[in-house]
């Protein structure tokens, strides 16, 4: 459930008119419903209430500080994949002991930062990374808490770009090598082996891949215990999908029940890393129609948001519903919704049946709360969009729209090239 609804043919976010926000801040902008964010997190968290667990929101899905603070206030932690995300998590007020650090390419500076911050756990992706973390920890007089990310070779049945648990993917340690790597890690000074980690992909719409992965991890944890390596945490990652078009993903309670039934013999704390399922349908991208264009057999709706604002349609050929903000207009037509970026791949929708629109009309790209702004860029020197949060009948700017000055901040013309003025 989300809180974007029509009232008298006008789209509202909770108790605020979307058109009124557009008049105030201009377009394009991302718009989030606080009620939706809180509801989705709470429903997910409560689904696991019968088990010791920690919900670590996946910061890569949406890293705005205001939303991160919401999760902190609800008792959540964070799954991070960079030093920058660690900085955001700490600035949002997160307890470092609720932060897990994933990702295949942690730099020396990032490892040191995480060790100094005293995070809960590193999810380690390779033997070489294990050795690097151990070395940094020894140098700092610390023990680094680690889990090994296991690649269980499970087909998650999702888009290949967001599948992460197959043998050919770059992520994790092959499950066939896991016992050997765990034994090696347990003997490395500077490490404290406390967990097993697994993340098989994103936007999964079936429970079976999760259960299959968990069954393989159960075997691994039992084998580790027999060898004297006790595991305190089982991190099952995220990946639960949402409905963009016609998908029917399981509800959090169904997902939780399936995992808990399989997990029951293990005495471990469960870590979950949801992202998309929490914020995906809690946000929209609002854009204004600039022009209509017709060519031989093709209609185009040209809007002021492009692939630099929302990359998913171009990158994944992903479907995202497009609603008119004012649906009083009668009739429909089929068109491509395209942006101003100078790429043929700059589109938000192709061959889409849309309500009739005119220049100046507003469109809402739905389900844009996850992997929307976080994947935005300044390509074509386009300032990134504003972000707005609605709480009941009030709206708040939680990220100001970038200016042209912001685009060149930090750049310098060396003196030998002459005066730019």
């Amino acid at each position: 459930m989300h809180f974007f609804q029509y009232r008298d043919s006008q789209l509202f976010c909770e108790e605020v008119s979307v058109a009124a926000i557009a008049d105030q801040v201009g377009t394009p902008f991302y718009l989030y419903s606080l009620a939706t964010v809180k509801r989705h997190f709470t429903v997910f968290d409560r689904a696991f209430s019968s088990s010791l667990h920690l919900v670590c929101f996946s910061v890569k899905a949406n890293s705005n500080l205001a939303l991160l603070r919401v999760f902190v206030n609800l008792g959540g932690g964070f799954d991070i994949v960079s030093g920058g995300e660690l900085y955001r998590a700490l600035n949002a007020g997160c307890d470092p002991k609720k932060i897990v650090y994933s990702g295949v390419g942690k730099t020396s500076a990032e490892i040191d930062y995480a060790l100094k911050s005293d995070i809960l756990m590193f999810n380690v992706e390779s033997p070489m990374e294990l050795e690097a973390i151990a070395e940094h920890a020894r140098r700092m007089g610390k023990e680094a808490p680690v889990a090994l990310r296991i690649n269980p070779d499970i087909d998650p049945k999702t888009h290949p770009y967001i599948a992460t648990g197959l043998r050919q993917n770059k992520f994790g340690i092959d499950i066939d090598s896991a016992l050997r790597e765990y034994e090696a890690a347990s003997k490395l000074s500077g490490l404290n082996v406390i967990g097993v980690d697994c993340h098989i992909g994103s936007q999964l719409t079936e429970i079976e891949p999760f259960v299959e992965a968990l069954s393989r991890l159960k075997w691994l944890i039992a084998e580790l215990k027999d060898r004297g390596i006790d595991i305190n945490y089982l991190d099952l990652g995220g990946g639960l999908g949402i409905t963009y078009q016609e998908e029917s993903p399981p509800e959090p309670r169904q997902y939780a029940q399936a995992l808990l039934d399989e997990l029951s013999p293990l005495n471990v704390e469960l870590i979950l890393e949801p992202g998309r399922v929490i914020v995906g349908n809690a946000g929209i991208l609002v854009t204004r129609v600039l022009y209509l264009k017709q060519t031989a057999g093709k209609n185009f709706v040209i809007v002021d948001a492009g692939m630099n604002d929302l990359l998913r349609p171009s990158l994944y050929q992903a479907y995202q519903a497009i609603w008119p903000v004012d649906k009083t207009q009668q009739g429909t037509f089929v068109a491509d919704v395209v942006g101003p970026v100078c790429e043929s791949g700059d589109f938000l929708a192709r061959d889409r049946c849309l309500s009739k629109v005119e220049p100046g009309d507003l469109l809402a790209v739905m389900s844009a709360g996850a992997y929307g702004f976080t994947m935005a860029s300044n390509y074509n020197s386009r300032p990134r969009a504003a972000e707005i949060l609605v709480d009941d009948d009030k709206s708040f700017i939680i990220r100001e729209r970038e200016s042209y000055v912001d685009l060149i901040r930090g750049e310098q013309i060396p003196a030998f090239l002459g005066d730019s003025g």
Side-chain angles (χ1 to χ4, degrees), residues 152 208 217 224 245 273 310 322 344:
E208 287 75 17
L217 297 177
L224 290 173
Q245 187 176 10
E273 299 170 356
L310 180 62
I322 297 180
S344 295

Side-chain angles (χ1 to χ4, degrees), residues 55-93:
V55 177
C56 291
F57 174 74
S58 180
V59 175
K60 62 181 176 288
N62 191 313
S63 60
N64 187 282
L65 281 181
L67 296 185
L68 298 187
R69 177 62 66 85
V70 173
F71 300 130
V72 169
N73 291 344
L74 292 172
F78 295 119
D79 164 49
I80 63 167
V81 295
S82 72
E85 288 188 351
L86 175 56
Y87 183 77
R88 285 181 172 277
L90 295 174
N91 274 272

Side-chain angles (χ1 to χ4, degrees), residues 32-348:
Y32 309 113
S33 159
L34 178 61
T36 305
V37 171
K38 292 170 72 172
R39 180 182 185 278
H40 287 180
F41 183 92
T42 302
V43 166
F44 190 96
D45 188 38
R46 286 178 180 170
F48 290 90
S49 60
S50 64
S51 174
L52 184 63
H53 73 283
L54 175 63
V55 177
C56 291
F57 174 74
S58 180
V59 175
K60 62 181 176 288
N62 191 313
S63 60
N64 187 282
L65 281 181
L67 296 185
L68 298 187
R69 177 62 66 85
V70 173
F71 300 130
V72 169
N73 291 344
L74 292 172
F78 295 119
D79 164 49
I80 63 167
V81 295
S82 72
E85 288 188 351
L86 175 56
Y87 183 77
R88 285 181 172 277
L90 295 174
N91 274 272
C94 187
D95 178 353
K97 286 301 184 184
K98 291 185 176 182
I99 296 174
V100 293
Y101 193 165
S102 307
V104 299
K106 305 175 186 73
T107 67
S108 292
E110 288 173 324
I111 292 168
D112 284 347
Y113 184 22
L115 285 167
K116 289 175 183 174
S117 300
D118 201 22
I119 66 168
L120 174 63
M121 189 166 69
F122 290 89
N123 288 333
V124 182
E125 301 265 3
S126 68
M128 191 172 287
E129 182 191 331
L130 264 177
E131 293 173 1
I133 292 174
E135 181 183 344
H136 282 261
R138 288 193 298 268
R139 190 176 65 243
M140 296 173 65
K142 290 178 171 284
E143 271 199 341
V146 299
L148 274 63
R149 177 170 175 173
I150 304 304
N151 185 326
D153 196 27
I154 298 292
D155 183 359
K157 301 176 184 178
T158 189
H159 191 285
Y161 286 8
I162 50 179
T164 60
L166 289 165
R167 195 180 300 272
Q168 64 264 34
N169 298 136
K170 70 178 181 179
F171 298 96
I173 294 168
D174 191 294
I175 193 163
D176 295 332
S177 307
L179 286 172
R180 181 175 68 250
E181 298 303 338
Y182 264 100
E183 287 191 322
S186 69
K187 296 170 184 173
L188 273 175
S189 63
L191 297 184
N192 181 19
V193 180
I194 61 171
V196 171
D197 172 50
C198 178
H199 177 65
I200 60 175
S202 187
Q203 184 51 18
L204 275 69
T205 57
E206 299 178 16
I207 290 177
E208 287 75 17
F210 293 110
V211 174
E212 188 177 352
L214 179 53
S215 68
R216 298 190 183 188
L217 297 177
K218 282 173 58 180
W219 166 84
L220 174 62
I221 291 172
E223 287 291 318
L224 290 173
K225 186 173 183 179
D226 287 344
R227 300 184 187 203
I229 302 173
D230 282 330
I231 297 299
N232 300 319
Y233 297 95
L234 174 57
D235 186 338
L236 288 178
L240 188 61
I242 64 172
T243 300
Y244 285 102
Q245 187 176 10
E246 296 177 350
E247 304 93 335
S248 298
E251 295 290 327
R253 58 180 175 78
Q254 298 170 308
Y255 167 72
Q257 191 58 57
L259 294 184
L260 294 176
D261 286 347
E262 187 72 22
L263 184 70
S264 56
L266 298 178
N267 183 27
V268 293
E269 180 171 350
L270 194 58
I271 296 176
L272 293 310
E273 299 170 356
R276 188 192 316 267
V277 71
I278 306 296
V279 294
N281 285 325
I284 63 176
L285 173 64
V286 181
T287 182
R288 193 176 296 276
V289 176
L290 298 175
Y291 308 107
L292 302 179
K293 179 178 178 179
Q294 187 173 18
T295 62
K298 196 79 171 178
N299 295 310
F300 295 94
V301 177
I302 302 169
V303 298
D304 62 3
M307 64 185 289
N308 72 294
D309 299 299
L310 180 62
L311 186 58
R312 292 187 71 257
S314 295
L315 183 61
Y316 304 132
Q317 293 73 55
Y319 177 97
Q320 300 202 216
I322 297 180
W323 293 5
V325 171
D326 179 346
K327 67 172 185 176
T328 56
Q329 186 90 287
Q330 298 297 310
T332 61
F333 73 128
V334 175
D336 287 9
V337 180
V338 301
V341 173
C342 288
E343 296 281 350
S344 295
D346 178 31
F347 62 89
L348 300 178

